[in-house]
Amino acid sequence: MRGMGARYQALRGTRDILPEEVGVWHRLEAATHEVFARYGFREVRTPIFEATELFARSVGSSTDIVRKEMYTFQSGDESVTLRPENTAPVVRAFVEHALHRTIAAGYPERLYYLGPMFRHERPQKGRQRQFHQIGAEVLGAAEPLADAETIEMVWSLLGALGIDDRELQLNTVGDAVCRPRYREALTRWLAPKLPAMCDDCKRRAVENPLRVFDCKVEADRKMLEEAPTLAQSLCDPCAAHFAAVRQTLDAFAIPYVVDERLVRGLDYYQRTVFEVVARGLGAQNALLGGGRYDGLVEELGGPAIPGFGFAAGMERLVLVMNKAAGDARGSDLLIVALGEAGFKGAIGLARSLRAKGLRVALPLTERPLGAQMKRAERLGARFALFVGANELAAGRFGLKDLSSGVQFEVDEAGIGPAVTTGGNGHGR
Ligand code: AMP
């Protein structure tokens, strides 16, 4: 069928998730709800666009995200941005609805979300312009246990998804006391090297020297391997916090490596930062990342409340998930209507089976038997139900298990039970 109209394609960096794939997404979403609820997290849904200022303030005006990746537009007299990440919106909602009133020492607010994010990046495998994240935020807990417990939660989600080929990388980026000291040391070290570095690094060195570790230029990265690390400048409270997080992860038997170059791409992190990478993803191998952001709630107009969170890329999780159990459930049964009388009777039968909760496929017009059987296979139907004039008169129908090829007879009341128990021996 060739039409005369214009043809369109999904925009660069965006893609359709077709029915064949969507079963894996459902499974990912179900596992997320299930595992996160076990840890006391509750879902929050915030708008897809927010005031541009919210992201500029929180993510940081010198980050790649804010400098060049936001989808920002003018709406009336407001500058609006499609959310590039969802920590700032969740914190905005937390402050706006004064959720801090419900927290108490030792009992933080635990929130999570799932949904699309938007960044105008150069698309490549595992990197899109509209992508999806699962994320969680703990608001109101400064304890290292909050860090370790939240990491454990996402670690067990990965386990539930069959993602075993993974590595947890951990670091600390210090706080407002020790990070400035480190920044100075790094700036001194960078000064003689800068002429040989890329333009982005030259700019970063002035605006926000720690960002040089985001550099993707191979020669610069090589040089940066020699740079001083924050570990050497940590203040005592930050060092104690990091040691406690590590001890707890050890006690939980969660393996990790300390990566002193890990700084993460957003400005609001303090102390603990972490990432999980997976093999089989190519260059974009980060499945998820997060950390502690103790200053952010206050920065966004709330009380001085500490926070910890992470975000995971759903496309990347889907790429490495064990797909076996994620197949989209097809129809339970496809009605094969035989002749005009059969087709007419099949319409009513399909309606009553659907009302009982079965997934029933039926052609919208009379079709030859062969075509109907082929379609059953395409739809992944588990059973074919044969409905003709004789079957309707006798009230007995042939039901064929399409995986084993075994066929047996059932009456109308027996169809549901036969299908839900897999048909073993029913109604023979
Ligand atoms: P970030 O919010 O940058 O810390 O990213 C957290 C996770 O989201 C990453 O580890 C990726 O799995 C995923 N992610 C970030 N940006 C993209 C993108 N452009 N396309 C697909 N996934 C992404």
Side-chain angles (χ1 to χ4, degrees):
M1 274 185 276
R2 184 185 284 269
M4 307 263 289
R7 293 182 46 153
Y8 299 97
Q9 292 181 334
L11 292 178
R12 207 163 116 75
T14 71
R15 59 186 291 277
D16 304 305
I17 300 168
L18 294 174
E20 284 70 29
E21 288 172 86
V22 93
V24 183
W25 285 77
H26 285 166
R27 194 170 142 244
L28 170 57
E29 290 157 12
T32 301
H33 295 304
E34 161 74 27
V35 172
F36 287 12
R38 278 186 223 156
Y39 287 77
F41 282 73
R42 301 184 301 153
E43 187 182 354
V44 59
R45 301 186 185 194
T46 59
I48 285 182
F49 56 86
E50 299 269 355
T52 303
E53 179 63 19
L54 174 68
F55 300 110
R57 259 200 108 85
S58 55
V59 176
S61 51
S62 69
T63 57
D64 281 354
I65 292 181
V66 172
R67 286 188 56 254
K68 45 189 184 195
E69 293 172 0
M70 296 207 300
Y71 282 92
T72 297
F73 54 97
Q74 201 66 23
S75 170
D77 53 8
E78 279 178 317
S79 178
V80 163
T81 292
L82 299 184
R83 61 184 188 190
E85 61 97 56
N86 210 35
T87 296
V90 169
V91 171
R92 196 261 313 132
F94 177 84
V95 171
E96 180 171 340
H97 303 286
L99 298 184
H100 64 270
R101 285 180 317 202
T102 60
I103 64 178
Y107 297 94
E109 179 71 86
R110 293 182 169 91
L111 300 169
Y112 76 96
Y113 59 84
L114 305 92
M117 307 293 155
F118 307 86
R119 293 182 197 173
H120 196 274
E121 299 192 80
R122 195 171 56 77
Q124 54 178 280
K125 184 177 179 233
R127 206 200 281 168
Q128 295 173 202
R129 291 179 171 172
Q130 173 172 339
F131 59 101
H132 298 77
Q133 285 185 335
I134 291 168
E137 316 292 346
V138 184
L139 294 157
E143 293 80 7
L145 179 57
D147 310 23
E149 199 185 62
T150 308
I151 292 173
E152 184 200 30
M153 175 174 83
V154 69
W155 193 252
S156 62
L157 174 64
L158 298 180
L161 299 172
I163 302 172
D164 297 324
D165 205 352
R166 55 191 162 163
E167 182 178 275
L168 169 60
Q169 303 173 340
L170 195 66
N171 193 24
T172 174
V173 293
D175 65 5
V177 175
C178 53
R179 196 157 26 168
R181 291 207 300 248
Y182 172 60
R183 186 172 310 172
E184 257 171 53
L186 183 62
T187 306
R188 269 198 307 278
W189 182 88
L190 277 172
K193 316 248 174 344
L194 275 181
M197 296 180 83
C198 74
D199 287 346
D200 273 338
C201 279
K202 290 186 179 112
R203 178 185 50 75
R204 291 177 182 124
V206 179
E207 288 179 5
N208 191 347
L210 267 74
R211 290 268 79 86
V212 295
F213 294 107
D214 293 343
C215 185
K216 288 165 189 115
V217 178
E218 200 46 50
D220 289 6
R221 292 179 74 95
K222 194 111 209 103
M223 191 141 46
L224 287 166
E225 281 172 17
E226 309 286 311
T229 66
L230 186 73
Q232 298 146 0
S233 330
L234 274 190
C235 63
D236 290 345
C238 282
H241 186 95
F242 194 46
V245 171
R246 296 182 54 175
Q247 272 161 21
T248 312
L249 289 175
D250 291 340
F252 290 172
I254 294 176
Y256 59 84
V257 296
V258 173
D259 177 357
E260 293 184 345
R261 311 278 153 195
L262 183 66
V263 292
R264 308 269 314 127
L266 303 94
D267 273 358
Y268 47 60
Y269 287 114
Q270 283 197 12
R271 294 193 169 167
T272 316
V273 291
F274 72 105
E275 265 184 21
V276 175
V277 299
R279 256 181 289 260
L281 279 176
Q284 301 298 316
N285 66 350
L287 278 180
L288 61 97
R292 177 160 283 286
Y293 48 84
D294 290 349
L296 184 61
V297 182
E298 205 176 4
E299 180 70 28
L300 296 180
I305 278 177
F308 184 89
F310 67 83
M314 293 177 76
E315 279 78 5
R316 296 186 196 178
L317 291 172
V318 163
L319 277 173
V320 293
M321 260 172 77
N322 174 0
K323 311 282 195 310
D327 295 341
R329 236 182 99 198
S331 300
D332 293 320
L333 71 101
L334 180 126
I335 295 185
V336 179
L338 309 165
E340 194 190 334
F343 180 67
K344 286 208 171 112
I347 298 170
L349 189 56
R351 292 187 67 220
S352 81
L353 292 173
R354 286 171 180 154
K356 286 182 190 150
L358 293 191
R359 301 173 181 217
V360 181
L362 172 76
L364 291 177
T365 180
E366 271 189 72
R367 300 284 294 144
L369 176 65
Q372 296 189 55
M373 292 306 289
K374 252 200 209 117
R375 187 52 56 163
E377 207 175 296
R378 260 260 0 238
L379 293 174
R382 292 164 53 224
F383 291 90
L385 184 76
F386 298 95
V387 180
N390 295 341
E391 284 81 359
L392 288 163
R396 308 277 299 166
F397 304 90
L399 185 65
K400 183 172 181 176
D401 182 331
L402 293 171
S403 53
S404 66
V406 176
Q407 185 169 329
F408 42 92
E409 253 193 19
V410 286
D411 59 13
E412 187 178 338
I415 297 171
V419 166
T420 46
T421 58
N424 296 331
H426 274 271
R428 265 177 208 246

